[in-house]
Amino acid sequence: MDNCIFCKIAKGEIPSNTIYEDDSFRVILDNGPATKGHALVLPKEHYADLFEIPEDVVAGAVKVAKKVASNMKEKLSCDGLNLVQNNGEAAGQTVMHFHLHIIPRYENDGQHILWKPTSPSAEELTAVKDTILGA
Ligand code: 5GP
Ligand code: ZN
């Protein structure tokens, strides 16, 4: 992908604040962080999203995230941590190269990575289940 900013960053063609790197992944600090330490796991190969990325690569990304998260817990003394991964504009994806957000959380950090719960009926939930299962 010639015009993909995350391809260029992942391959080291554009400088970044790299906090982890191996043959398949680079982890960089987000330049618009939600909190101190907010980082992105970037595969070095281009995949647009969860639907494109092969299973073994996404499994590798989660392994890397676990390693980095453990290091953050120790070094940044965060109180919690969110893993977030957006797919498609409707879900808030703005860079169309798969990335996994690692967002350390701190008491009273003022961020809200939450959703507003809705109240479907039992029948509505069953209908959704049936749709997903193709019943
Ligand atoms: P998305 O909304 O696609 O899940 O997340 C994209 C993230 O990439 C945002 O948090 C944004 O701040 C970050 N971002 C976008 N462009 C750059 C960049 O050039 N460098 C870095 N380090 N982060 C970027
Ligand atoms: Zn890319």
Side-chain angles (χ1 to χ4, degrees):
M1 287 292 286
D2 289 349
N3 266 331
C4 175
I5 180 94
F6 280 3
C7 276
K8 290 178 181 151
I9 292 173
K11 289 179 177 155
E13 293 163 20
I14 291 178
S16 63
N17 289 300
T18 296
I19 58 170
Y20 174 89
E21 184 179 7
D22 62 25
D23 288 347
S24 306
F25 300 98
R26 181 187 293 272
V27 183
I28 63 168
L29 292 183
D30 195 298
N31 68 1
T35 63
K36 185 173 81 177
H38 181 170
L40 305 169
V41 181
L42 308 180
K44 292 188 175 178
E45 291 299 318
H46 181 91
Y47 307 105
D49 55 27
L50 185 66
F51 304 105
E52 276 194 7
I53 193 168
E55 277 185 8
D56 59 326
V57 183
V58 75
V62 173
K63 277 190 189 174
V64 167
K66 179 170 169 60
K67 210 178 295 209
V68 170
S70 301
N71 191 36
M72 282 179 175
K73 194 166 184 226
E74 185 191 332
K75 303 279 179 49
L76 297 175
S77 302
C78 51
D79 303 309
L81 187 141
N82 295 110
L83 288 185
V84 176
Q85 201 275 309
N86 301 325
N87 298 282
E89 276 180 38
Q93 186 178 8
T94 58
V95 181
M96 300 303 159
H97 175 123
F98 178 97
H99 51 283
L100 182 53
H101 293 260
I102 305 173
I103 307 177
R105 300 300 303 274
Y106 307 90
E107 296 295 345
N108 304 313
D109 63 21
Q111 290 293 352
H112 299 281
I113 305 169
L114 294 173
W115 54 88
K116 193 175 69 173
T118 59
S119 309
S121 65
E123 291 76 18
E124 285 169 323
L125 284 175
T126 302
V128 173
K129 181 191 72 177
D130 289 345
T131 301
I132 292 168
L133 294 178

